[in-house]
Amino acid sequence: MTLVAGVDSSTSATKVEVRDVDTGALVGRGAAPHPATRPPRSEQSPDDWWAAFEAAWSRAGTPSVAAISVAGQQHGLVVLDGQRRVVRPAKLWNDTESADDAAALLDRLPGGAAGWAAACGSVPVASFTITKLAWLHRVEPESWGRLAHVLLPHDWLTWRLTGGLTTDRGDASGTGYWSPIDDGYRFDLLALVDDGVLWESAVPVVLGPLERAGTWEGAVVAPGSGDNMAGAMGIGLRPGDVAVSLGTSGTVYAVSDRPTGDASGAVAGFADATGRFLPLVCTLNATRVTDAVRRLLGVDHGTLDELARAAAPGAGGLVLLPYLDGERTPNRPEATGVLAGLRTDVTREQLARAAFEGVVCGLLD
């Protein structure tokens, strides 16, 4: 029996699944949590990702596999020095401290938002890697002086497996400095952050969908990708299909045969993991919202579901604006949540339903 393994390194945890390559049968599974984060500063040590991977791998049975691939949370900034040591904790996709830097970058490129959409398919907001680089350059000059390599979370985990600094076109397209339109890095955009860095040697090699990143314990290591790109590939998304994904973030995405660029910034023009393109809308607030309400109500996930189902649609007029951790779409990095329509007869059921309706309506917007 030939086994393959998939690794999902998300914001909250690392999950491993091992399957029979011929039948698809699940052979092993394991998971381990990551340290919780609290935006506006949302940071994790990459070493914690590796510890979580090792724990999850052990819980999956420490299998002998023929191939392995890593999917990771998009946009996070991992900076290594010349000895490939992590310079500082990784700033994650939902860290909004770089909001001012995102606004400044818009002003530095001729055409502003439209210029960015034409250059790399997306208008950078605080989530994007390039804004986090600009933040590091502005706020931590000592860390900036040690910068030798810039990676994404999935890149770093692949490097731990193979020893090579690689990425793929899907995850690279979420940086704000790799263009699905041009199918390559835009070093002119990185020069807007610092034109004194030799960026060509700082960024990882972009592998094609069928290229090998290297080997690990005898297993072929695939290029891997960002979590949304891996999700699209995993469910066999085709042009004309639309997927909705709810995790720490909420995403709506589709596969396209052509690159896209939206100057409004609402739709990010990503690449996918197969050679096509992945226009995507992302909100910062999804299951963290329902988790917060669950915690306030003092119930488990199943009971929260039951409470929400018991309330009528519309939650009796109770409305939760779910921007608890700021928001990416629309671009409101300093926003907070709002609970409106409270009356003296409010019920726990209405609050539970308002949480779910707030998340869903945020995506529908």
Side-chain angles (χ1 to χ4, degrees):
M1 182 168 57
T2 302
L3 302 179
V4 293
V7 181
D8 173 29
S9 181
S10 70
T11 314
S12 59
T14 291
K15 285 85 71 178
V16 171
E17 280 199 358
V18 181
R19 293 185 177 269
D20 183 322
V21 74
D22 294 316
T23 68
L26 180 66
V27 176
R29 174 184 288 163
H34 296 166
T37 67
R38 292 288 180 267
R41 172 163 289 194
S42 181
E43 299 180 345
Q44 290 171 340
S45 168
D47 288 335
D48 289 330
W49 305 334
W50 185 252
F53 165 72
E54 291 186 313
W57 191 256
S58 176
R59 290 165 188 166
T62 316
S64 177
V65 298
I68 185 172
S69 186
V70 178
Q73 53 181 313
Q74 286 188 254
H75 305 305
L77 173 64
V78 183
V79 175
L80 306 184
D81 66 14
Q83 285 71 50
R84 299 190 177 181
R85 297 172 299 199
V86 174
V87 170
R88 67 176 314 284
K91 292 190 84 64
L92 305 188
W93 63 276
N94 59 344
D95 183 300
T96 58
E97 289 189 314
S98 61
D100 290 343
D101 303 278
L105 285 170
L106 288 182
D107 291 338
R108 291 176 196 168
L109 187 69
W116 279 95
C120 67
S122 300
V123 178
V125 293
S127 295
F128 280 69
T129 321
I130 194 167
T131 74
K132 302 177 191 304
L133 279 170
W135 178 90
L136 188 68
H137 179 266
R138 176 175 60 88
V139 177
E140 296 185 3
E142 183 178 347
S143 296
W144 187 261
R146 295 176 57 198
L147 180 150
H149 305 285
V150 178
L151 303 178
L152 298 164
H154 122 260
D155 306 344
W156 186 84
L157 285 164
T158 301
W159 166 71
R160 284 297 306 262
L161 294 173
T162 68
L165 300 177
T166 62
T167 190
D168 91 302
R169 62 192 297 275
D171 214 6
S173 68
T175 59
Y177 49 81
W178 189 91
S179 171
I181 301 164
D182 300 328
D183 195 33
Y185 284 111
R186 289 292 301 260
F187 297 114
D188 57 324
L189 300 180
L190 284 165
L192 297 176
V193 177
D194 188 337
D195 60 6
V197 174
L198 186 61
W199 291 110
E200 289 84 348
S201 64
V203 295
V205 174
V206 180
L207 299 177
L210 300 180
E211 292 187 82
R212 298 184 177 194
T215 59
W216 175 67
E217 297 187 357
V220 172
V221 180
S225 196
D227 49 6
N228 292 299
M229 295 77 190
M233 184 169 63
I235 62 175
L237 205 66
R238 297 173 297 180
D241 297 333
V242 176
V244 178
S245 175
L246 296 176
T248 304
S249 66
T251 55
V252 180
Y253 51 86
V255 168
S256 170
D257 290 323
R258 298 186 302 274
T260 60
D262 175 18
S264 77
V267 180
F270 295 152
D272 79 347
T274 71
R276 294 182 293 191
F277 305 92
L278 196 76
L280 178 146
V281 175
C282 178
T283 63
L284 288 189
N285 297 276
T287 60
R288 284 174 68 98
V289 175
T290 53
D291 272 349
V293 172
R294 178 191 61 79
R295 187 177 67 252
L296 287 172
L297 292 174
V299 298
D300 59 22
H301 292 286
T303 303
L304 184 71
D305 292 347
E306 293 172 4
L307 289 171
R309 286 196 297 266
L318 192 64
V319 176
L320 176 62
L321 182 69
Y323 300 165
L324 273 61
D325 288 330
E327 189 47 77
R328 165 174 170 171
T329 311
N331 185 23
R332 301 285 187 271
E334 297 181 359
T336 57
V338 176
L339 189 62
L342 278 170
R343 298 182 181 276
T344 54
D345 61 350
V346 66
T347 67
R348 299 167 79 232
E349 290 82 0
Q350 289 170 344
L351 179 55
R353 188 169 189 99
F356 285 102
E357 290 184 349
V359 170
V360 172
C361 288
L363 279 172
L364 291 175
D365 282 347

